[in-house]
Amino acid sequence: MALSGKTALITGSTSGIGLGIADVLARNGADVILNGFGDWQTAAEQLSRHGGRVGYHPADLSQAEQIEALFDYARREFGRVDILVNNAGIQHVAPVESFPVERWDSIIALNLSAVFHCTRLALPDMQAQDWGRIINIASVHGSVGSTGKAAYVAAKHGVLGLTKVVALETAQSGVTCNSICPGWVLTPLVQQQIDARVAAGETPEQARSALLAEKQPSQAFVTAEQLGELALFLCSAAAQQVRGAAWNIDGGWLAQ
Ligand code: NAD
């Protein structure tokens, strides 16, 4: 299988996009390390059915020292990380003037600084073996803004910048770094935004349709499975010269 012998660390993989990507990588032969605050036992059981090893570490990635503990665990138990998927992320919606300062700090810590910390800790082993894949799950919000999402949009723009720098610093090696930029994907993170609209008087169906109608011309959600297949391509030899890309998978959001 394409990823036999590789270890993939997927941050924030107990639900949503991270779990979907972990599933595709495990199905294609990778050993996987899960992380996140959700029901990791159920996720691990699901992924174990693909036959590879599945590990889990509960690091809170908003804390740099816990990220170091995560990498110590990965090295101790799996030898090294060949594929790093920086996926963990949170959202908060409020106008700038009333944006809670602690939410700003936690979004920047998780959605941006954790990507830096995981990358700096993953790179030495990847460089030593001259092969590695760093895949950052950014967002269409790495390229455009939306009202109410100051911290998220700032962090995701930062992730695209960091991706370019890492891609340049590894350009003459077997290590690549790219971002995937999804539009709407129906995960717990987006469900929260649907729930907020329902609380404001819309039906769940109206809320889902309104979210899509505002931004996503296809009127269909991107799926975690589709994101997993794109990540799998970025791990392939065919993608060796894809470097520093911000790969949109957004139902046409950024084509507008
Ligand atoms: P989700 O809420 O389903 O999953 C987030 C994961 O991160 C969970 O496993 C959660 O436990 C984990 N997590 C949260 N805080 C953490 C912390 N401090 N330390 C470690 N793990 C933590 O969300 P999702 O929609 O699957 O989002 C995953 C990524 O995709 C995020 O970076 C998000 O910005 C990005 N994204 C999502 C969408 C979308 O429409 N859902 C669109 C574009 C980009």
Side-chain angles (χ1 to χ4, degrees):
M1 283 192 288
L3 300 180
S4 290
K6 307 280 191 218
T7 297
L9 165 61
I10 305 100
T11 68
S13 43
T14 53
S15 67
I17 292 170
L19 179 56
I21 292 176
D23 192 73
V24 173
L25 300 186
R27 198 196 306 151
N28 284 277
D31 293 332
V32 293
I33 302 171
L34 302 175
N35 156 259
F37 297 155
D39 176 5
W40 68 269
Q41 287 97 338
T42 303
E45 207 179 290
Q46 173 191 327
L47 298 190
S48 299
R49 292 194 203 113
H50 298 306
R53 282 185 70 198
V54 181
Y56 168 75
H57 193 278
D60 176 348
L61 301 185
S62 63
Q63 310 295 321
E65 67 284 359
Q66 293 196 31
I67 301 179
E68 300 202 353
L70 165 62
F71 275 82
D72 289 345
Y73 163 82
R75 273 192 215 100
R76 192 172 63 245
E77 297 294 326
F78 288 80
R80 82 216 154 271
V81 172
D82 303 290
I83 299 163
L84 167 64
V85 183
N86 283 308
N87 168 76
I90 49 173
Q91 176 66 283
H92 185 81
V93 182
V96 172
E97 65 276 18
S98 56
F99 206 93
V101 171
E102 67 282 2
R103 296 298 290 170
W104 170 276
D105 289 341
S106 55
I107 289 174
I108 298 298
L110 181 63
N111 295 18
L112 179 57
S113 299
V115 180
F116 160 70
H117 290 299
C118 289
T119 300
R120 75 178 171 81
L121 293 166
L123 270 176
D125 286 345
M126 292 181 178
Q127 284 164 329
Q129 65 178 3
D130 199 29
W131 196 92
R133 292 290 188 264
I134 299 173
I135 301 170
N136 297 328
I137 306 306
S139 168
V140 287
H141 286 117
S143 299
V144 295
S146 288
T147 55
K149 298 186 175 174
Y152 187 87
V153 169
K156 295 297 185 182
H157 275 66
V159 168
L160 294 196
L162 176 59
T163 300
K164 290 172 190 163
V165 172
V166 175
L168 292 174
E169 291 183 3
T170 53
Q172 293 178 16
S173 79
V175 179
T176 71
C177 178
N178 293 288
S179 286
I180 291 177
C181 301
W184 292 123
V185 189
L186 193 50
T187 66
L189 181 142
V190 166
Q191 190 60 46
Q192 280 171 17
Q193 294 169 62
I194 292 172
D195 293 345
R197 296 181 83 120
V198 170
E202 293 177 13
T203 66
E205 190 41 49
Q206 281 168 338
R208 272 193 292 274
S209 305
L211 274 189
L212 290 169
E214 280 165 15
K215 303 282 188 182
Q216 200 144 301
S218 67
Q219 299 281 305
F221 287 101
V222 180
T223 67
E225 164 84 16
Q226 290 161 349
L227 293 165
E229 292 291 341
L230 178 52
L232 178 65
F233 166 70
L234 290 174
C235 291
S236 71
Q240 190 62 55
Q241 293 310 327
V242 181
R243 295 176 186 270
W247 198 308
N248 306 325
I249 171 162
D250 63 2
W253 185 322
L254 291 184
Q256 297 166 100

